[in-house]
Amino acid sequence: MDKKELRRRYLALRGSQPEETLQAAGEGICAEVLRLPEIERSRTIMTYVSFGGEPDTHMLIRRLTKMGKTVCAPRCDAAAGMMEAFAVSGMDSLAPGAYGILEPKPERPVPPEKIDCILVPGCVFGQNFHRIGYGKGYYDKYLPLAARAVTIGLCYELCLVKWLEAEEFDVPVDLIVTEKGVLRRNEHPVF
């Protein structure tokens, strides 16, 4: 099955779940994220701003800000096919941007090399730490720029598969967090 078909299948599966089920799973994912030592050690954390049934990061943005972390979020330039990170002070500092997704105002840029941790979205993740996103390649282009950052994929357990084929430009994540726990790439060698 190709990426487009897998993306379609898992978006449909996610969309078929009751809202309460996704909300409970999302709360479990957020609780797991907040317990990570990587989050505790990080000073600057980039997170996507959830939409359309993704694991909810709105609560994470509020909690991380209260913890004194510098929180930033991506702002997409659809014409260039690139994204940049900008600091946010909370949910009220976001406004609808590309694709209708909430984005930060382009006021306080955060260079990729200053980011300690990046929370990465996806439609489906593989236990080989690859992911299928929404098909625009924003994260696969951005993650190499933030090479020192720990990358954490947020994934519902129902969207976690054994293996995903990867192309040369696909960038794996370091951890995958589901409502049932954490997978770490260095603890789960892929053969």
Side-chain angles (χ1 to χ4, degrees), residues 21 39 64-65 73 75 101 103 109 112 121 124 148-149 164-165 167:
T21 301
I39 294 294
L64 293 169
T65 303
R75 185 175 175 87
I101 301 169
E103 292 185 336
V124 57
R148 73 175 198 83
L164 286 175
E165 289 298 321
E167 298 177 30

Side-chain angles (χ1 to χ4, degrees), residues 35-57:
R35 285 194 286 269
L36 291 172
E38 291 84 356
I39 294 294
E40 182 62 34
R41 288 191 299 260
S42 294
R43 297 170 99 184
T44 303
I45 300 170
M46 178 176 168
T47 180
Y48 67 94
V49 182
S50 56
F51 82 103
E54 291 177 323
D56 188 356
T57 59

Side-chain angles (χ1 to χ4, degrees), residues 17 28 48 59 61 70 108 118 126 149 155 159 170-171:
Q17 303 303 303
Y48 67 94
M59 185 273 288
I61 292 169
T70 297
R108 295 183 296 151
I118 301 175
C155 177
C159 295
D170 290 334
V171 179

Side-chain angles (χ1 to χ4, degrees), residues 67-170:
M67 291 168 64
K69 307 291 185 185
T70 297
V71 178
C72 55
R75 185 175 175 87
C76 295
D77 179 342
M82 300 294 286
M83 68 183 193
E84 293 180 82
F86 291 89
V88 299
S89 56
M91 289 303 298
D92 57 344
S93 65
L94 300 167
Y99 313 105
I101 301 169
L102 293 175
E103 292 185 336
K105 296 176 180 126
E107 297 170 347
R108 295 183 296 151
V110 178
E113 63 274 8
K114 298 286 186 191
I115 299 173
D116 301 309
C117 180
I118 301 175
L119 304 181
V120 182
C123 301
V124 57
F125 284 82
Q127 291 179 22
N128 61 339
F129 297 88
H130 282 282
R131 60 182 269 283
I132 294 175
Y134 295 93
K136 302 293 183 189
Y138 287 110
Y139 280 85
D140 290 318
K141 293 172 192 166
Y142 188 83
L143 294 179
L145 303 176
R148 73 175 198 83
V150 173
T151 54
I152 304 171
L154 306 188
C155 177
Y156 297 117
E157 190 74 23
L158 65 94
C159 295
L160 181 64
V161 300
K162 189 77 174 160
W163 184 267
L164 286 175
E165 289 298 321
E167 298 177 30
E168 67 179 81
F169 55 82
D170 290 334

